[in-house]
Amino acid sequence: MGDISSDDNLNVVQAHTSKKGFCSVHYGLAFILHFCNICIYTQQMNMSIVMPAMVNNATLSIQLNTSTEAPLTDSQDNRTETLQEYNAVAPTYDWSPETQGLILSSLNYGSLLTPIPSGYVAGVFGAKYVVGAGLLISSVLNLCIPLAADAGVTILIVLRIIQGIAQVMAITSQFSIWVRWAPPLERNKLITISLSGMVMGCFIILLTGGLLSQTTGWPYVFYIFGGMGCIYSFLWFFLVYENPMNHPFISTDEKEYIMSSLTQEGHSPGWSIPIKAMIKSLPLWAILLSTFTTYWRFYIVTTYSPTYMNSVLQDNFRDTGILSAVPFLISFVSYLIGGQLVDYLFSRKILRLITIRKVFSVFGVLFPSGLLFSLHWVKFSHNITIAFLMLSSAFGSFGEIGVQINCMDIAPRYAAFLRGVSQVFSYTAGAISPTVAGYFISLDSEFGWRNTFMLSAAIDIVGLIFFLIFSQAEIQDWAKEQMDTHL
């Protein structure tokens, strides 16, 4: 099969990178995917940030009164004033914490059956139209959420289920693009640039969602970001090409460089997928289990950060968006630095690739889990709590780099399909964890948060141990056999 990291190929990569850098077409594609992910994740997160504005005063007053027995503070008075401002510009609904948890997690219910077919179809036919269609459908449905909320909880949940399916199409299928566009020694940089759009999208919606809800009304959060997604989805179809061979503006040198660097990894997998061998593959199960445990924590943090700021820290809603957004900005920076660092360590043979994956996973699990678990004991200090949330997001990005890109290591030709399988596990966690968290919090508003973070830490560590024992970074035999068969 050859060795892509040989000295000759390494010199070619270094020469090409120093000459072209971020001005090359394949880096341009990474930034296009970056903005695509921004659109998807602003739509995925907008319900979480506007939920406090959608719930009426009575429901929030119950949560406030049960969260503390102390007299109202100035911060709590400000929260009441802000709630009155929200109610003046937009309708509100009488949703219990359990109902809110169902609405927030419903985005993931329909997603459980979609990732595998999406990854499979994208792997066979290409990702351009699958990703573009997913972005367009999600954006149109985002525009309809205010009407669905007025129609009733059932209609809203159904709409969000369909929207979740469309978002999965876009998120899962994009991995097949890198099978044709990402040279192995630049793979981590390219993928982390594109994936960093996810956390940047979270940052943008958390930063602006509260302000928009207060000034124009929460429905405009859905209108604005849904409209942006519709516009970008049409640009997507004009800017993206399936492979370098079909791109009209790529240079000959860059085209030959990409194609030659990917020759060792085979071509399109076609319709044949080695399912039995995949089921028996412990390195693949290490990725899948770790994905489930990591995203259990991720969905709790992204879904309930605004609620935690309001109910525990008793922050004014006008401050909640900014405080919830800053950790994602730090996570965005960590994504970019982490991707650069992985390729630097690997291309210069400082560490083996599997060692890099495991080290990043350790940092990405132990530190975030420990910090979140400690929140119960530092909630007396507003600054320490915010610092812990920021550091948790920063280290959490390293875990993503350690696990999520590992599919490209063990079976690059099946990356889109395997990404779809891993998305099933991540969305399963997303469907369960917010509901479990909502149940704990509704039982006990004080210790519910502690129990939520304690369970999350335990689940996270189990996944880490399994990943450290069974993960690998070499192309697996079942992938090689399929490659030899088709070649």
Side-chain angles (χ1 to χ4, degrees):
M1 296 303 298
D3 184 0
I4 192 62
S5 60
S6 64
D7 291 338
D8 292 340
N9 285 332
L10 178 57
N11 291 334
V12 172
V13 172
Q14 291 175 331
H16 177 82
T17 304
S18 62
K19 181 179 179 180
K20 292 289 186 178
F22 291 108
C23 296
S24 59
V25 173
H26 59 292
Y27 274 96
L29 179 61
F31 286 105
I32 291 174
L33 277 167
H34 174 88
F35 288 107
C36 174
N37 286 326
I38 287 178
C39 293
I40 288 294
Y41 269 75
T42 52
Q43 296 170 21
Q44 190 172 87
M45 280 289 296
N46 51 20
M47 180 66 75
S48 298
I49 190 63
V50 305
M51 179 62 76
M54 298 178 70
V55 179
N56 63 27
N57 284 351
T59 304
L60 285 174
S61 296
I62 292 174
Q63 298 178 24
L64 176 60
N65 292 335
T66 57
S67 64
T68 178
E69 297 180 359
L72 289 178
T73 63
D74 292 339
S75 175
Q76 292 170 327
D77 289 336
N78 290 336
R79 292 176 65 209
T80 302
E81 294 175 2
T82 306
L83 287 171
Q84 294 173 350
E85 294 175 3
Y86 280 140
N87 294 342
V89 295
T92 57
Y93 309 96
D94 186 14
W95 294 336
S96 67
E98 293 88 345
T99 301
Q100 295 175 46
L102 288 173
I103 294 172
L104 291 171
S105 60
S106 62
L107 196 70
N108 301 296
Y109 292 155
S111 307
L112 301 180
L113 301 177
T114 310
I116 295 178
S118 297
Y120 180 71
V121 172
V124 175
F125 297 105
K128 176 178 179 178
Y129 293 102
V130 180
V131 175
L135 177 58
L136 179 59
I137 294 171
S138 175
S139 301
V140 172
L141 293 177
N142 206 69
L143 296 172
C144 300
I145 286 180
L147 293 176
D150 284 336
V153 172
T154 302
I155 300 297
L156 178 59
I157 289 176
V158 171
L159 183 146
R160 280 177 58 80
I161 290 174
I162 299 173
Q163 186 183 28
I165 293 174
Q167 291 175 357
V168 169
M169 292 170 55
I171 295 171
T172 303
S173 302
Q174 61 184 261
F175 255 58
S176 68
I177 291 178
W178 296 123
V179 176
R180 300 174 174 89
W181 276 97
L185 295 183
E186 296 181 88
R187 181 175 291 156
N188 292 280
K189 287 183 285 188
L190 293 168
I191 295 178
T192 53
I193 289 173
S194 63
L195 292 182
S196 65
M198 299 179 180
V199 290
M200 178 54 70
C202 295
F203 169 75
I204 292 173
I205 187 63
L206 287 168
L207 183 66
T208 62
L211 178 61
L212 291 172
S213 296
Q214 180 182 347
T215 56
T216 63
W218 61 261
Y220 283 90
V221 176
F222 298 101
Y223 297 149
I224 291 173
F225 291 103
M228 290 173 56
C230 288
I231 295 173
Y232 194 79
S233 63
F234 289 107
L235 293 175
W236 168 271
F237 291 110
F238 290 101
L239 295 175
V240 175
Y241 292 84
E242 292 289 355
N243 56 66
M245 296 298 296
N246 297 331
H247 200 288
F249 304 116
I250 189 172
S251 67
T252 302
D253 290 342
E254 184 180 358
K255 181 188 301 183
E256 293 179 352
Y257 158 68
I258 295 174
M259 300 302 293
S260 62
S261 66
L262 297 175
T263 301
Q264 308 294 340
E265 300 189 357
H267 307 288
S268 173
W271 297 99
S272 177
I273 300 292
I275 298 297
K276 292 183 180 180
M278 289 180 178
I279 293 175
K280 298 177 182 179
S281 175
L282 287 176
L284 177 56
W285 279 108
I287 295 173
L288 300 180
L289 181 60
S290 186
T291 297
F292 177 87
T293 58
T294 299
Y295 273 86
W296 181 286
R297 165 174 42 86
F298 173 81
Y299 278 108
I300 288 177
V301 173
T302 56
T303 301
Y304 279 100
S305 285
T307 304
Y308 188 84
M309 299 287 185
N310 295 330
S311 62
V312 178
L313 299 183
Q314 302 174 10
D315 282 320
N316 187 292
F317 280 115
R318 284 170 290 201
D319 301 327
T320 297
I322 297 176
L323 293 175
S324 301
V326 172
F328 289 97
L329 179 61
I330 296 175
S331 180
F332 168 77
V333 176
S334 299
Y335 249 115
L336 298 180
I337 294 176
Q340 297 285 331
L341 182 58
V342 170
D343 278 345
Y344 176 84
L345 295 174
F346 179 50
S347 63
R348 286 159 178 77
K349 301 181 181 180
I350 298 174
L351 292 174
R352 295 171 58 235
L353 183 57
I354 186 57
T355 304
I356 298 172
R357 298 286 186 224
K358 291 182 178 181
V359 169
F360 271 69
S361 297
V362 168
F363 278 93
V365 170
L366 294 184
F367 282 92
S369 297
L371 291 168
L372 292 176
F373 179 67
S374 303
L375 289 179
H376 176 75
W377 289 275
V378 299
K379 62 184 179 181
F380 62 88
S381 172
H382 185 276
N383 292 335
I384 294 178
T385 300
I386 296 300
F388 276 24
L389 288 172
M390 292 180 181
L391 290 173
S392 173
S393 296
F395 285 109
S397 298
F398 292 155
E400 290 278 320
I401 297 171
V403 175
Q404 296 303 309
I405 308 179
N406 195 213
C407 289
M408 295 287 291
D409 301 330
I410 66 172
R413 294 177 66 251
Y414 300 109
F417 178 79
L418 296 182
R419 173 66 171 175
V421 176
S422 68
Q423 287 293 96
V424 171
F425 283 77
S426 68
Y427 285 117
T428 300
I432 299 174
S433 60
T435 304
V436 172
Y439 174 75
F440 282 152
I441 296 167
S442 65
L443 288 179
D444 189 325
S445 60
E446 180 178 358
F447 292 101
W449 291 105
R450 183 202 64 182
N451 296 336
T452 296
F453 293 133
M454 183 185 300
L455 177 62
S456 176
I459 292 173
D460 225 355
I461 291 174
V462 170
L464 174 64
I465 293 174
F466 196 88
F467 186 81
L468 292 178
I469 295 174
F470 295 108
S471 63
Q472 297 182 16
E474 297 82 17
I475 298 178
Q476 299 299 291
D477 291 338
W478 45 267
K480 293 179 181 179
E481 291 172 2
Q482 289 295 314
M483 288 164 58
D484 293 339
T485 299
H486 288 289
L487 292 175

